[in-house]
Amino acid sequence: MRILVQKFGGTSLSSPQAREHVISHIKRELDENYKLVVVVSAMGRRGEPYATDTLLEWIVQNGDALPDREKDLLLCCGEIISATTLCSLLEREGISSTVLTGAQAGFETDGHHGNARILDVRPARIIEEFNNHNVVIVTGFQGQTISGDFTTLGRGGSDTSATALGAALHAEMVDIYTDVNGVLTADPRIVEDAKPLAIVSYAEICNMAYQGAKVIHPRAVEIAMQAQIPVRIRSTFSENEGTLVTHPEGFNDVQSGVVDRFVTGIAYVSNVTQITVDCSDGPSNLQLKVFKSMAENSISVDFINITPTGAVYTVFDHESERALCVLQEMGLRPKSLSGCAKVAVIGGGINGVPGIMARIVESLTEQNIQILQSADSNTTIWVLVKKEDMVQSLRSLHTEFELNR
Ligand code: ADP
Ligand code: MG
């Protein structure tokens, strides 16, 4: 049995025209004799009737007191509406399909409502349904605890549903359909001359995703990588095959040249606060106490620099007030700078190439952009800038590394 997983994101399902494109991708692959698992997200984006953000807004409008377990129950409705809509449109075209919820499709998760982790995927029911239908539609983003409670997998969770099913079913490929022509060298909403990448390694795209390129969820890539299932990220609105994500060993001779590119792309995470703590007067383990206190309060920290006299790190803007309170309660007087953005230059070949940092610094200072902090690893160089400098930083670095060529 040749199985293909197709995942359609929110914008791919939001209008009647978009749904026609979805149907044409399904028909084309059925003509290739695939059995299809079609994973769907909730339709549309914020403000549209059944979008996830709209359901969340509905909770706020009604007192914002819904417990997490019940919130997940409501959120699951978004994907159910989307899946049943697609089923009905396919039926009209003479294509018989069936809809399975996350639970029916075999997703068992832990009980962390709103951000549950997949414990197991047992897709026996999908296999069974393939006896009667060539298309099984699965509601993305959701699962069920062992005691039968509905859970959701967090933002980008449908990507994870798709690759987890691809792995469990030994699918030939997982196609992630979205509103852009694959993975680009930067977010095309900000960098207009960003270029699509024909092929990327799991490691490259995973890095880009972790650094903020939200075209696919990093967890989804990790699952595909472990199972060695190729993924294609492509547009719902064209026949273009988009970006193939695979192991570098899977690159053919022509493609193998791309393994040598030293910069793959640029990504960003905005809305972070830089916190500076002076520890020069405190006990020698004060830095440790600072980070322990953040951990005890479940505040996630990033971009950490520790020096003999203090510590600098970032937290998300929405957690900064809480972080500052915790530090003040410890008797510290932290300084903070909110509204920053973390810009990342990503590439497997960065390691040890002389002069890359100099090029970054030069290109930003030429634009009068102040670098608030920097860090590097063997695959990524980060700079922290003020949010008002973010767009210009991304564009300058994109041009500096000739990613627009
Ligand atoms: P979906 O609803 O299909 O899951 P998302 O909004 O989650 O779609 O992801 C697609 C969006 O990701 C694009 O519209 C684009 O703005 C954004 N994006 C950010 N970085 C990149 C990148 N490097 N390449 C492609 N798209 C990117
Ligand atoms: Mg997405």
Side-chain angles (χ1 to χ4, degrees), residues 49 62 64 70 118 124 144 190 238 243 267 281 385 390 400:
N62 287 282
D64 202 12
E70 283 65 25
I118 298 170
Q144 179 178 273
I190 294 185
S238 88
T243 304
D281 295 336
V385 297
M390 183 186 86
E400 173 62 37

Side-chain angles (χ1 to χ4, degrees), residues 7 9-10 41 45 155-157 159 178 214-217:
K7 178 257 169 175
S41 297
R45 295 244 165 98
R155 286 284 143 151
D159 296 337
T178 182
K214 67 167 205 156
V215 64
I216 186 167
H217 195 280

Side-chain angles (χ1 to χ4, degrees), residues 148-168:
D149 288 335
F150 282 40
T151 52
T152 62
L153 308 179
R155 286 284 143 151
S158 295
D159 296 337
T160 311
S161 307
T163 58
L165 282 176

Side-chain angles (χ1 to χ4, degrees), residues 125-169:
R125 177 77 185 270
I126 296 181
I127 309 270
E128 196 185 308
E129 294 298 341
F130 277 148
N131 291 323
N132 304 314
H133 313 273
N134 290 330
V135 182
V136 175
I137 305 172
V138 176
T139 57
F141 174 66
Q142 49 181 255
Q144 179 178 273
T145 63
I146 195 135
S147 41
D149 288 335
F150 282 40
T151 52
T152 62
L153 308 179
R155 286 284 143 151
S158 295
D159 296 337
T160 311
S161 307
T163 58
L165 282 176
L169 291 161

Side-chain angles (χ1 to χ4, degrees), residues 35-89:
K35 295 281 187 189
L36 296 181
V37 177
V38 179
V39 176
V40 294
S41 297
M43 299 189 282
R45 295 244 165 98
R46 185 181 297 274
E48 295 180 60
Y50 310 111
T52 302
D53 278 322
T54 307
L55 297 174
L56 285 169
E57 183 56 30
W58 178 249
I59 296 170
V60 174
Q61 283 170 20
N62 287 282
D64 202 12
L66 194 64
D68 288 344
R69 177 182 172 279
E70 283 65 25
K71 213 181 253 182
D72 270 354
L73 197 54
L74 175 63
L75 290 187
C76 286
C77 298
E79 277 70 20
I80 293 176
I81 292 171
S82 181
T84 48
T85 304
L86 184 58
C87 176
S88 119
L89 294 174

